[in-house]
Amino acid sequence: MAAALLCGIGLLPWLSRTDPARTVLEARSAERDPAPDVLAAVRDELGLDAGPAHLLGQWLGGLVRGDAGHSWVSGGAVLPGVATAFGASLLLMAAALTVAVATAAAVCARTLVLGARRGLAGRRTGGAAAMLAALPEFLTASLLATVVGVQLGWLPALGWYGPRWLVLPALAIGLPTGALLGRMLDDALPGAFAEPWARAATARGVPGRRVARHALRRCLPGLLPNLGLFVVGLTGGAVAVEQIFDIPGLGRLTLQAALATGTLALVALAAAVGALARL
């Protein structure tokens, strides 16, 4: 799937019948006039006349040797920049996952308390978690950057210089994911509390906290596949969030420099997370 995705992205200019030289020129400088001699110079520089199959094979051959080539847009070596951006994206995703777990815990905390007290009969499901889960990451990021970062000035809204610059991006990615996970877990918990083992444990005098803990463990295996999908989804949300908050991660690097290696790194990260969730 990763190979097919890379080939599809690499072949887009040819599949859409767009001149690849014009695509590269517009990525480098949108204001520059695409004169025939300028486009010819780009073709000669990048060897575009050799055809897409030759170019893709040449790049993949270099990738096997640890050489990811040079960016067609910036001209710089790809691998050092991708390695640095990969670390920033991993740190952002780890912080966002922490926020998501904390948000999910807050969403289902009331149900756990009511279940421990055997008071789920009058339980009402709140709509705040559903509203939060429906917000896309780019909209949450824009609101946080505008209100918290610019208008209130509580936290920095741009840059990547320390832990304080990590808070708003992590909230933008982690809050919707955590709300959705928490809502799914909140819907599954009443069924676990209603199972025969829970009623038998309560009849034997097992403390309510212990029953709630076992009910939570009972629901987690069914949630793990979805958790894997949501973590994979963080790689997609990070692209927009890194661009909004000016974070030098894989998402922004891939978006700005059109790096196939950045796409490959994102796909590999998503595949690794999916495999871990499956295990």
Side-chain angles (χ1 to χ4, degrees), residues 34 59 187 216 223 232-233 256:
W59 181 76
D187 291 339
L216 182 61
L223 199 65
V232 169
Q256 290 182 346

Side-chain angles (χ1 to χ4, degrees), residues 4-180:
L5 178 62
L6 284 176
C7 292
I9 293 174
L11 294 175
L12 276 178
W14 286 273
L15 293 175
S16 62
R17 297 183 180 180
T18 303
D19 186 359
R22 188 185 185 107
T23 302
V24 174
L25 183 65
E26 290 178 353
R28 289 176 176 178
S29 177
E31 293 82 11
R32 191 169 181 182
D33 182 29
D37 57 335
V38 176
L39 295 178
V42 174
R43 290 191 194 95
D44 293 338
E45 176 191 351
L46 302 178
L48 295 177
D49 291 333
H54 175 77
L55 292 172
L56 192 59
Q58 188 178 26
W59 181 76
L60 290 174
L63 192 63
V64 173
R65 300 190 302 270
D67 179 16
H70 291 73
S71 170
W72 284 6
V73 178
S74 64
V78 168
L79 206 55
V82 169
T84 303
F86 192 72
S89 291
L90 277 182
L91 181 60
L92 175 59
M93 289 179 61
L97 188 58
T98 302
V99 171
V101 171
T103 304
V107 170
C108 65
R110 181 172 175 270
T111 301
L112 283 172
V113 172
L114 291 177
R117 298 175 180 175
R118 308 300 295 175
L120 287 173
R123 168 181 169 270
R124 294 181 179 178
T125 57
M131 292 176 59
L132 186 59
L135 291 177
E137 288 87 351
F138 74 88
L139 180 58
T140 309
S142 301
L143 290 174
L144 288 174
T146 302
V147 178
V148 180
V150 177
Q151 294 183 358
L152 298 178
W154 291 347
L155 290 167
L158 290 175
W160 187 254
Y161 306 105
R164 293 180 67 243
W165 281 262
L166 183 63
V167 176
L168 290 183
L171 289 174
I173 300 176
L175 283 177
T177 301
L180 187 54

Side-chain angles (χ1 to χ4, degrees), residues 172-198:
I173 300 176
L175 283 177
T177 301
L180 187 54
L181 283 173
R183 183 61 187 271
M184 294 176 65
L185 185 59
D186 193 58
D187 291 339
L189 280 171
F193 279 113
E195 291 179 353
W197 67 266

